[in-house]
Amino acid sequence: MQQFEQYSGRTFAIMGEVNFMQDDDNRLEITRTKFGSLLKRHGDLTERLARDSDKIIFERLQKEFEAARASQTEEICLDGEEWNDGLLATIRERVHMEADRKAMQGDADILACPLEKITYKIGNKVICCLEGARIGVQYETSFAGEPCEFYHCVLESKSFLEKMTVLEHTVPFFLPIREIENDLHSSNAMKLIDHVGDLLQAFVDRREQVRLIKELYGNQIRELYHSLPYHMVEFVLDDSDCKVTVSLRYADLISVLPTRISVLAWPMFNKNTMSRKEDGLSGSHSSPIRLTYAEDALRTMSLPEAYAEIVLNLPQAIRQTYHQKATA
């Protein structure tokens, strides 16, 4: 009788713990649902506010860049070392010479000798001279070797005595181009041009990695949240034996691999897991376990590659960890 009471007491204790955890899960699920709805409404509002004006600017600048490339007399492809401050000064000089030539409409001799229109291609950047003493930079982003969006940045050069300024651009509003201009532009316009390109390519890379895991593993991912620049990403992987929460933080906006990573596996309490003691799993495990192999994969691989690695090794990692806890 005493053994029965002890057994019953342990059973009720376990069931009480299970019910407590389930209540916590229900409250957490309600909070996540509300938060997810709020994020969706925020995203929809942001898109509506930005869509029309950004689209108009993009279409106008895209047409202007296409016209400039169509009228070019030469396109020069340069490597990294050939792109330097001296070349940018040359481009700036050409811009002012063309502006001066256009201003002297009455001089037939000057108008009869148009300047060469040269476009420069450096990596993912195309730089050309635009009307009105402006330098245009078109950024051609890509992912996995496939082209993605074009972005534009137009610099105005009023005179050689003044620094160039960012006149207009199609960089997404949540990327800090004005802060970059304040930090870098006064000292080095070339660094500004390069940094904006790195910023845009890294954003596209992070975004496309998230898009790809949604496309490939959407049926396994129950929740996925991310910041607008995709420098904070969180998602939940549902497994039959556990729920895996993944949290990623990137050191800065030009990083394509996260630096702060947390991957935790939470035991799922149900009839199957409570009876599978031969696998080292039991309902008494209420605390999450840290999956270090998954964190290492996310630190060194792209998100889709790391996700496949996590799923492949998850059952064995869970069994080993719970077995170590059970025998400790």
Side-chain angles (χ1 to χ4, degrees):
M1 184 68 178
Q2 186 177 1
Q3 291 179 347
F4 175 75
E5 290 176 352
Q6 292 176 348
Y7 176 78
S8 299
R10 286 196 300 270
T11 302
F12 287 135
I14 292 173
M15 294 306 296
E17 184 178 359
V18 171
N19 291 333
F20 178 76
M21 293 295 294
Q22 287 176 340
D23 290 341
D24 279 354
D25 285 345
N26 290 337
R27 286 193 292 269
L28 181 60
E29 183 64 30
I30 292 172
T31 302
R32 286 183 180 276
T33 301
K34 290 181 178 179
F35 184 60
S37 177
L38 180 63
L39 286 176
K40 186 177 185 303
R41 288 164 55 193
H42 177 267
D44 292 342
L45 178 60
T46 299
E47 184 180 355
R48 286 201 302 271
L49 289 174
R51 182 192 307 139
D52 292 341
S53 59
D54 286 354
K55 185 178 180 180
I56 292 172
I57 295 173
F58 174 85
E59 290 178 348
R60 176 171 54 78
L61 288 180
Q62 184 64 21
K63 288 179 180 178
E64 192 169 1
F65 272 82
E66 290 174 354
R69 297 190 74 174
S71 62
Q72 71 185 21
T73 56
E74 184 180 5
E75 180 172 285
I76 301 176
C77 296
L78 306 173
D79 60 25
E81 295 181 355
E82 294 173 305
W83 165 235
N84 51 47
D85 291 328
L87 177 61
L88 185 58
T90 299
I91 296 173
R92 192 175 183 183
E93 182 180 10
R94 283 181 172 275
V95 163
H96 283 283
M97 289 175 63
E98 180 64 18
D100 292 342
R101 192 183 72 86
K102 289 289 182 66
M104 302 175 68
Q105 295 290 341
D107 195 325
D109 293 334
I110 293 178
L111 293 177
C113 301
L115 294 173
E116 288 184 316
K117 294 186 177 182
I118 302 175
T119 298
Y120 300 89
K121 185 170 178 59
I122 311 106
N124 71 332
K125 300 182 289 290
V126 175
I127 302 177
C128 59
C129 301
L130 301 177
E131 299 287 341
R134 294 175 303 147
I135 296 175
V137 185
Q138 179 173 273
Y139 299 96
E140 303 173 349
T141 61
S142 62
F143 179 71
E146 296 295 324
C148 295
E149 298 95 335
F150 290 151
Y151 296 97
H152 311 91
C153 182
V154 177
L155 304 174
E156 184 180 35
S157 179
K158 293 182 179 179
S159 74
F160 282 105
L161 300 177
E162 299 180 41
K163 69 175 185 178
M164 289 187 290
T165 57
V166 176
L167 185 63
E168 56 183 345
H169 63 85
T170 59
V171 176
F173 72 92
F174 45 79
L175 297 180
I177 186 170
R178 292 301 177 185
E179 288 83 349
I180 297 172
E181 180 181 15
N182 293 333
D183 292 341
L184 298 177
H185 200 38
S186 59
S187 59
N188 195 316
M190 188 185 112
K191 286 184 179 179
L192 168 71
I193 294 171
D194 289 345
H195 194 79
V196 171
D198 294 340
L199 192 75
L200 288 167
Q201 183 55 54
F203 159 67
V204 170
D205 208 321
R206 293 191 303 270
R207 184 198 66 195
E208 290 301 297
Q209 289 184 52
V210 172
R211 180 195 62 78
L212 195 54
I213 65 165
K214 288 170 64 176
E215 181 179 307
L216 296 176
Y217 309 108
N219 60 326
Q220 300 173 356
I221 299 174
R222 192 169 58 117
E223 302 165 11
L224 193 154
Y225 306 107
H226 60 80
S227 60
L228 290 175
Y230 290 82
H231 69 318
M232 295 187 292
V233 179
E234 295 186 359
F235 60 89
V236 175
L237 164 63
D238 266 341
D239 184 76
S240 59
D241 294 328
C242 63
K243 180 172 68 174
V244 180
T245 60
V246 179
S247 177
L248 308 176
R249 299 291 185 272
Y250 295 78
D252 49 49
L253 293 176
I254 60 172
S255 298
V256 295
L257 291 174
T259 51
R260 292 169 51 198
I261 304 165
S262 173
V263 183
L264 299 176
W266 300 76
M268 301 290 286
F269 293 100
N270 54 53
K271 294 180 180 179
N272 294 330
T273 57
M274 290 181 67
S275 63
R276 291 178 55 188
K277 294 185 178 181
E278 68 275 8
D279 287 338
L281 301 174
S282 73
S284 61
H285 293 293
S286 59
S287 59
I289 61 172
R290 182 180 174 186
L291 300 179
T292 55
Y293 86 94
E295 294 177 355
D296 291 341
L298 288 162
R299 193 172 286 110
T300 58
M301 302 179 183
S302 70
L303 187 52
E305 292 173 324
Y307 188 98
E309 182 78 9
I310 293 170
V311 172
L312 179 64
N313 295 292
L314 181 60
Q316 181 180 358
I318 294 294
R319 284 195 297 268
Q320 287 179 349
T321 303
Y322 281 152
H323 180 71
Q324 292 171 359
K325 283 190 174 185
T327 56

